[in-house]
Amino acid sequence: MRRLRTTLLLSLAFLAGSADGTCVRGDDDPPSLARALYLERTMREPEKALSVFETVVANQATPVADRAQARFGIARCHESAGRFDAAITALSALVDDEATPTRDREDARAKRGDLVKAKTTSGDRDAEARRTDELRRADDARRNKEDRLSAAKTLIESAVAQIKAKRYEDARQHLLDALRLDPGNERAITLLDEVGGRTDRGELLKQAIRFVASNRVADLARLTSTVDALRKSAKTALTEGRPADAVDALRTAVSRIDESDFYAELEGTRRELVAWFGQALKEAKAKGARIDGGTVVPVERPPLDALGPVKPWRAEFFSLLGRIFASREDGAAAVRFYDAAIPPDSSPEAAGTRFSGSGIASSKEAGSLRRSQWIEKYLRREVSPGTWSGVDRLLDRYDDLVVVQHGSGVLKTVDALAASFPVTPAPPLAVEIRVYGATGEGIAEAARLLGASAIATEDGVSAIVRAFSLEEQETLLASSSNLVSLARASLRLTGRRTATIRFHEQTAACPAYADKSAPPVVIPDRDATYGLDVELYGEDLGAGGKKDAAVSIIARVRRPDRPRLAPLATGWARAPIFVEQACEADRRLPYGASIVLFGLSNPFRATGYAGDATGGAHPDLLVLVSAKPSGSLATDVLPPTAPPIPGATAPALPADISTRDYDLGAVGHDLVDEPPPEEWPRATFAASKASAGRGSRDAFLAGWITDQARLSSDEGPLVVRDGKATVTASVGTHGRFGAVVEALVAPADRIVRVDVATLELAADRARKLLIDAKVERTSPQQRVYHLDATATNALAERVESLHDPASRYEFSAHLAARHTQLVTARSIRSRAIIEEIRSERRDDGTTGLTPVNGTVEEGAVVSIRPVVWTAGLVSIYATALLADVEKIDEWRPEGLPPTSPLVALPRHRVERAAAFGPISEGESMLFLVPAPGTDGARVVLVIVRLPRGS
C-alpha cells in the first residue's frame, strides 16, 4: 500500500504540471509531499527535498500518514549525505510519535536499527583504513630500513679495513656514515668508541656536527621539493573533482613534515597544507568518497615517540652520540647535548603582533637570531669564561642543538640554565627601544646618570641598568642638554621570538649625495637607505620564578661617507660609500631593566655625521632596550610620541600623532591577485604580471582599511607595501587600525568558492523572469540585486533552459579564492587582425614592410574579490565587463605603397557594472547589464553565487 500511495502521489505531481514540467519545478508551488518526492527521486536533489520534507512535517495540517512519509524522506536525505546521527534522530521521532500508524513505526524502528549498524560499519571502515595506512607505512619503513642496514654494513666493513691500515680519520667518517643509516648498530658504536679514544673527543664531536650540517641543506631541499609536488598533486585532484586523492596527497605531505627535522622551518607550509586538507576532506565527505587513513585533520604535530618507525635521523644521531660519550669510563669530561629549539606555536599570531614607532622612520622585519645562539654566547662569556678551549673542553652549536663538554660543576650550571627555558610556547615578550643622539660628552654623562658601568667580564660596549625603570631612565636622560631623543619603537616578539627593527633615512636626501656637481652620484637600489638596524631575540624566563628574560641584540650602523669615483658602463660616476659598525649583547635581562649600547656613531643627517664633514652636533648614538612579559593586547605596547629632532627639516608632528607599521600577515605577504588587463578589450587578455597583481592588491587593502578604520582627512597617509600597512594617525585612530587589521588577518587561510553564470535574453523576458522569481526591484533602472537563497534557487531553476549557445557573453565558471584575493572568470571570443605595418629602412637604403598580426577580442569578464566576515557572511566585490566589436575599419598608414595590406582598426562597445555587499551561503548577487549595442533591448544577467559549503 505504501508503494502504491507513493506511486499515485508522483503521478499526481506530474499530471498537475504542464507538459514541460515547469509547474512541478516552480518554487511558487506550496511545499508538499509530492514536490519533496519529486525533488528527491526525480531531480536527485536531496538537500532541496530535505527542506520541503521538513516544511511538510512542521505543517500541523499535514495528514498523519503524509507526515510519517515526510519523516522517512528526512531520514533518507540525511543518510544520502552521510549524516547518520541526523537520520537516526528523524526515525526516532517517528518511532516516538504515538499518532503514527503502527506499521510505519515498526518500519522506522527496523530502519533505525539498520542505520545504527551502518554507522558502526562506517567507523570500522575508518579504523580499517587507518590500520591499512599504518601497515603500508610500516612496510615502507621496513624496506627502507633493510636498504639502510645493508649500506651501513658495507660502510662498517670498510671502516674495519681503515682501522687495520691506521687510517683513523677515514674510519671515523665511514662509521659516522654508518650510524646515520643505522643508529642502533652496536658494532659501529663500539668501533667509533675505539677510534674516538685515539683522538680528542671535542674534535670528534666537531666532525660529527660538520657531518650533520653538510647533509642538512640537501635534505631540506629534497623535502621541500617532495612537499611541493604533493601539494600540486592535491590541488590538481581537487580541481578535477577527486577530493579523496587530494586527501591522501595532503596527508602524506603533512606526515613528511612531521617526520622531519624541519618542522620549524616549514611550519607555515604545514598550516597551509592542513587548511587544504580540511577543505578536501569536507568535499570528499559531501561526495561520499571512500577515505583511507581516517578522517582526523592533523592540526597538531604528534610527539616524536608517536611517529612510529620513521623518526628524524638527526635527533637519533645526536642522542646516540650522547649515549656513546656517557658510557665512557676513561675519566674524561662528560658531554651534554641540549635541544634549544623553541616549541612552535600552533597559532603564533593568536597573541597578536604589535609594532609602533615614531621619530626617525622605522619598520619591522624578520630576524635570524635564535635561542641556541644566545645560550652559546651567554655560556662562553658568563659561565667559566676563558675555559672553553683545550682538550675535553667543547662549546659548539649546530642549528638548535648545543653541545657542551666540561667539568661536572659547569655542567650543573648549564643544566640549570637549559631548564629555565619553557618547554611549551612561551608568552610573548614586549620590547621597548629608545635611540638617542649624543654630543662628545653625552655618552659619559648618560653612563653617569644611569649608573651604567661594565663589569670585568663585559666588553665595554654594553651595560645593564637595573636601578631605574625605563620611564625613569627617559626622565634622567631628558635632563641632559648633551642628549637628544631620535626614535622610539615598541614591539611584541612572538613565534620564533626574533625580529629586526630598521631606523632608516633615504640616501638620496643625504647632503653629500644631493649636490648637482658632475659626475652625478649613482645610488643603486641596495643602497637606497642607511641608518640603524636593531636585531632582537627575546624569550621570557619567568617560568622558574625568576623575573628576567634572555635577550640578544645586534645593533648595526650604516652611515654614508663621501662618494668615490667609479667607472661604470655608462661612464664615470660617483658611487656611494658606507661605513659600517656593529655591537652585540647577549644578556640575562631583569624585567624593567635596560641594556644600554655604547660605541655606535650617529648616521642620521639632522643630528649626526651624515652629510656633515665636521662630525655633526651629536656624532654618537645611545641605544636602550628594555623587555618585560607581554600583558593585555591593548595596553602592553604604548603608543610612543614623536621625539624632537633638532635641525630636522620636516615639521614636527603633533604630540598625539605617530607613525606605526601593521603587519598584514598572509593577507599581505602570501596572496597574489589575478586582475584582468586594465585596458581590456583594447588590449588582448593575457595573464597579468605579478607587479600588476601586487599593485591592485595593495590599493584595495589600503582603501578597505582606510574605510573600515574611518581615517579622517587630517590624518594619514596610509600606505600598504611589502605586506605592511604604514599609517600616521592619532592614538584613537591607531586603536581602530589595530582592531581592523586583526579582523582582516584572522581569516587569512579561508578559501571561498564562488559560482559565476551569465545569461543573455530580451529585456522584457528578463523583467518577467525576475518577477516570477519574486526578486524585489526598487526602480526600473536598477542594475544590481541581492538575492536570498530562495530567490537564488528559483532563478537558477528558471534560467536552466534559457541558455543561448550562440551568445558571446554566456558562460558558467566555478572559482575558488582566498580571503581578499581577486580572481577573474571570463568567456572571450577572439579573431585575428593586421595590427600594424612597420616600415623599416634597410642597410642598402631601400624600405621594407613588416606586418604585425594581432587579435581583437569580445565577450564577458567578471572579477570577484571575497572578503570573509563572521557568522558565515562574505562581502563580494564584483565587477562585470561586457565588450562587443562594433565594427572593424581598415586603414592604410600614410606613406605606405598602395600594394601594402590594410591595418585593422577595431571599435568596441563596452558596458560595465560593479557592486559589493555581504551575502551568505546559498545567496547571490545579480547584475542586470545591457548587452552592448542593443540600446537596452537585450540584457545580460550576471549571477555571482556563494554555494553552500563555501
Side-chain angles (χ1 to χ4, degrees):
M1 290 300 293
R2 287 197 309 275
R3 293 196 189 98
L4 179 59
R5 183 166 60 248
T6 301
T7 304
L8 289 174
L9 288 171
L10 287 172
S11 301
L12 289 172
F14 279 106
L15 292 173
S18 62
D20 60 358
T22 55
C23 292
V24 174
R25 293 181 295 166
D27 277 345
D28 299 345
D29 300 337
S32 64
L33 181 61
R35 173 166 173 73
L37 292 170
Y38 169 78
L39 291 172
E40 179 194 8
R41 299 182 177 178
T42 303
M43 299 301 294
R44 304 294 184 186
E45 296 181 350
E47 294 300 328
K48 291 183 178 180
L50 177 61
S51 62
V52 180
F53 278 130
E54 291 174 343
T55 304
V56 171
V57 171
N59 188 357
Q60 298 299 323
T62 303
V64 174
D66 289 354
R67 184 179 292 110
Q69 292 305 312
R71 282 176 171 162
F72 276 117
I74 291 173
R76 289 194 302 272
C77 292
H78 283 306
E79 181 184 2
S80 66
R83 298 188 290 267
F84 293 103
D85 291 334
I88 292 171
T89 301
L91 292 172
S92 297
L94 187 57
V95 171
D96 297 338
D97 189 356
E98 296 181 356
T100 302
T102 303
R103 182 60 183 272
D104 289 337
R105 294 172 65 186
E106 291 176 355
D107 290 347
R109 187 177 292 107
K111 179 62 176 176
R112 183 176 63 180
D114 293 341
L115 285 180
V116 171
K117 292 179 181 179
K119 178 183 177 184
T120 305
T121 304
S122 177
D124 293 340
R125 284 200 302 268
D126 288 345
E128 180 63 26
R130 287 193 294 271
R131 285 193 295 270
T132 302
D133 186 64
E134 291 173 0
L135 290 174
R136 177 182 59 79
R137 288 165 56 96
D139 189 50
D140 292 342
R142 178 184 56 78
R143 288 195 298 268
N144 291 336
K145 184 176 181 180
E146 290 174 354
D147 295 340
R148 289 189 291 106
L149 292 180
S150 177
K153 183 178 180 180
T154 302
L155 288 169
I156 292 172
E157 296 301 328
S158 175
V160 171
Q162 300 291 352
I163 292 174
K164 290 179 179 180
K166 297 184 179 180
R167 292 192 290 269
Y168 301 115
E169 294 297 328
D170 294 338
R172 182 182 300 111
Q173 185 63 44
H174 286 179
L175 289 171
L176 289 173
D177 289 342
L179 287 172
R180 175 177 68 85
L181 298 172
D182 183 13
N185 193 296
E186 294 295 337
R187 189 181 183 195
I189 294 172
T190 302
L191 290 173
L192 184 62
D193 199 27
E194 177 184 342
V195 174
R198 301 175 185 271
T199 185
D200 176 25
R201 284 190 294 174
E203 182 60 30
L204 174 60
L205 282 171
K206 290 180 180 178
Q207 290 183 23
I209 291 174
R210 286 195 293 270
F211 163 75
V212 173
S214 65
N215 286 273
R216 189 177 193 279
V217 175
D219 283 0
L220 178 58
R222 191 180 302 113
L223 176 63
T224 302
S225 176
T226 301
V227 170
D228 288 343
L230 289 168
R231 174 169 49 187
K232 183 178 180 180
S233 173
K235 291 183 178 180
T236 301
L238 279 175
T239 304
E240 296 175 353
R242 298 181 285 110
D245 295 340
V247 169
D248 291 340
L250 291 168
R251 179 185 287 110
T252 302
V254 173
S255 298
R256 295 290 178 86
I257 295 176
D258 289 346
E259 296 163 359
S260 73
D261 290 297
F262 306 105
Y263 182 82
E265 286 81 355
L266 299 177
E267 183 182 357
T269 300
R270 187 184 186 277
R271 286 203 302 271
E272 180 185 353
L273 293 174
V274 169
W276 280 99
F277 186 97
Q279 180 69 19
L281 188 62
K282 184 177 179 180
E283 293 188 14
K285 288 181 178 179
K287 289 191 173 184
R290 177 184 175 86
I291 303 172
D292 297 330
T295 58
V296 178
V297 180
V299 177
E300 299 290 342
R301 182 195 192 188
L304 291 181
D305 56 2
L307 290 177
V310 182
K311 295 181 180 179
W313 71 266
R314 290 175 181 80
E316 289 193 54
F317 184 83
F318 282 119
S319 176
L320 171 64
L321 288 181
R323 293 197 301 273
I324 291 175
F325 290 115
S327 65
R328 294 288 295 267
E329 297 180 355
D330 54 5
V335 179
R336 295 279 195 279
F337 294 82
Y338 298 95
D339 184 3
I342 296 177
D345 293 355
S346 58
S347 180
E349 302 302 327
T353 57
R354 286 288 188 274
F355 171 72
S356 62
S358 60
I360 295 169
S362 60
S363 62
K364 177 185 174 184
E365 298 180 0
S368 60
L369 298 178
R370 55 204 316 156
R371 179 195 288 180
S372 58
Q373 182 176 341
W374 182 91
I375 292 176
E376 179 197 5
K377 294 187 176 182
Y378 182 83
L379 291 177
R380 198 175 296 280
R381 188 187 64 251
E382 301 289 345
V383 179
S384 191
T387 65
W388 292 101
S389 60
V391 178
D392 289 340
R393 294 292 182 266
L394 176 67
L395 177 56
D396 211 336
R397 172 172 55 92
Y398 159 72
D399 203 9
D400 286 324
L401 185 84
V402 179
V403 185
V404 179
Q405 182 181 22
H406 212 288
S408 59
V410 172
L411 287 180
K412 287 182 180 179
T413 303
V414 179
D415 289 341
L417 177 66
S420 64
F421 285 91
V423 295
T424 58
L429 195 70
V431 179
E432 300 284 340
I433 302 174
R434 303 293 184 264
V435 181
Y436 291 85
T439 63
E441 300 81 17
I443 296 295
E445 186 176 359
R448 178 181 58 79
L449 290 171
L450 299 177
S453 60
I455 60 178
T457 61
E458 296 175 345
D459 52 15
V461 299
S462 64
I464 295 181
V465 178
R466 296 179 173 85
F468 306 104
S469 66
L470 180 63
E471 292 75 13
E472 292 171 334
Q473 295 172 41
E474 290 183 283
T475 301
L476 291 171
L477 296 179
S479 65
S480 172
S481 59
N482 293 317
L483 299 169
V484 58
S485 177
L486 299 180
R488 300 158 58 103
S490 304
L491 69 149
R492 179 185 286 108
L493 295 177
T494 58
R496 303 297 292 273
R497 270 62 180 177
T498 182
T500 299
I501 308 304
R502 298 192 63 219
F503 302 92
H504 49 87
E505 291 182 337
Q506 293 294 321
T507 303
C510 176
Y513 297 167
D515 58 38
K516 303 299 182 182
S517 57
V521 177
V522 177
I523 303 176
D525 290 343
R526 67 177 182 274
D527 298 326
T529 61
Y530 65 89
L532 169 69
D533 291 352
V534 181
E535 188 170 1
L536 299 166
Y537 153 76
E539 198 169 1
D540 185 12
L541 300 180
K546 294 186 178 181
K547 297 182 178 181
D548 56 5
V551 176
S552 290
I553 307 170
I554 299 179
R556 297 182 179 90
V557 165
R558 187 169 181 263
R559 60 179 176 82
D561 199 355
R562 68 179 183 85
R564 304 297 199 275
L565 281 175
L568 302 181
T570 56
W572 285 91
R574 286 183 297 159
I577 302 298
F578 294 89
V579 178
E580 298 185 1
Q581 279 182 288
C583 68
E584 183 176 352
D586 303 275
R587 311 297 284 275
R588 193 159 183 159
L589 183 64
Y591 297 162
S594 297
I595 297 179
V596 185
L597 301 180
F598 305 102
L600 294 172
S601 63
N602 184 356
F604 301 109
R605 63 177 178 269
T607 56
Y609 183 86
D612 188 345
T614 64
H618 298 76
D620 296 316
L621 276 187
L622 187 73
V623 180
L624 277 66
V625 178
S626 178
K628 63 179 180 180
S630 178
S632 167
L633 296 182
T635 60
D636 64 334
V637 180
L638 301 177
T641 58
I645 303 178
T649 56
L653 295 173
D656 64 338
I657 296 290
S658 61
T659 301
R660 302 188 198 177
D661 279 353
Y662 296 83
D663 191 350
L664 301 181
V667 171
H669 294 281
D670 297 349
L671 301 184
V672 178
D673 285 346
E674 304 169 3
E678 293 183 0
E679 297 183 355
W680 191 86
R682 287 183 297 155
T684 56
F685 197 105
S688 299
K689 297 181 179 179
S691 58
R694 173 59 59 189
S696 73
R697 179 160 192 78
D698 289 346
F700 170 78
L701 292 176
W704 190 89
I705 297 174
T706 299
D707 180 65
Q708 296 296 318
R710 303 187 304 279
L711 184 65
S712 61
S713 58
D714 56 346
E715 295 178 308
L718 167 66
V719 178
V720 175
R721 186 177 181 184
D722 298 331
K724 298 177 182 178
T726 303
V727 63
T728 301
S730 62
V731 175
T733 304
H734 276 304
R736 295 197 301 272
F737 261 83
V740 168
V741 170
E742 287 184 9
L744 176 68
V745 171
D749 293 329
R750 170 79 180 274
I751 297 175
V752 180
R753 293 188 298 122
V754 181
D755 294 341
V756 182
T758 60
L759 174 69
E760 182 183 0
L761 68 172
D764 55 351
R765 183 78 177 272
R767 286 191 292 270
K768 185 177 184 304
L769 192 66
L770 296 181
I771 294 173
D772 293 342
K774 298 182 179 179
V775 176
E776 297 183 2
R777 305 180 67 199
T778 59
S779 69
Q781 291 77 31
Q782 185 176 356
R783 283 196 175 191
V784 182
Y785 302 85
H786 172 235
L787 309 185
D788 58 19
T790 302
T792 298
N793 294 333
L795 185 63
E797 291 184 3
R798 283 170 169 77
V799 303
E800 186 175 354
S801 61
L802 298 178
H803 289 288
D804 180 7
S807 174
R808 71 198 67 178
Y809 307 116
E810 291 195 9
F811 69 94
S812 177
H814 305 283
L815 303 178
R818 291 267 296 275
H819 164 63
T820 72
Q821 184 182 21
L822 179 69
V823 293
T824 302
R826 63 188 179 274
S827 176
I828 296 175
R829 185 170 66 183
S830 61
R831 68 185 88 167
I833 59 172
I834 300 175
E835 191 174 81
E836 183 183 356
I837 300 295
R838 294 177 181 171
S839 176
E840 301 174 347
R841 184 168 295 279
R842 302 190 182 101
D843 294 338
D844 59 1
T846 61
T847 299
L849 302 180
T850 302
V852 179
N853 297 315
T855 59
V856 57
E857 298 177 342
E858 57 188 349
V861 174
V862 182
S863 299
I864 302 103
R865 188 192 302 272
V867 178
V868 177
W869 290 94
T870 56
L873 285 178
V874 177
S875 279
I876 296 293
Y877 293 75
T879 302
L881 177 63
L882 308 180
D884 167 67
V885 177
E886 179 181 5
K887 61 181 299 187
I888 297 181
D889 295 330
E890 292 184 333
W891 168 72
R892 179 176 289 109
E894 185 178 353
L896 295 184
T899 57
S900 65
L902 299 175
V903 175
L905 297 178
R907 298 182 185 180
H908 286 93
R909 293 175 292 203
V910 178
E911 292 287 346
R912 290 182 174 85
F916 73 93
I919 62 176
S920 301
E921 292 183 3
E923 299 181 345
S924 62
M925 184 180 295
L926 171 66
F927 292 90
L928 199 65
V929 188
T934 63
D935 296 328
R938 297 184 64 81
V939 297
V940 177
L941 300 183
V942 181
I943 306 171
V944 180
R945 183 179 183 181
L946 198 67
R948 295 193 181 276
S950 299

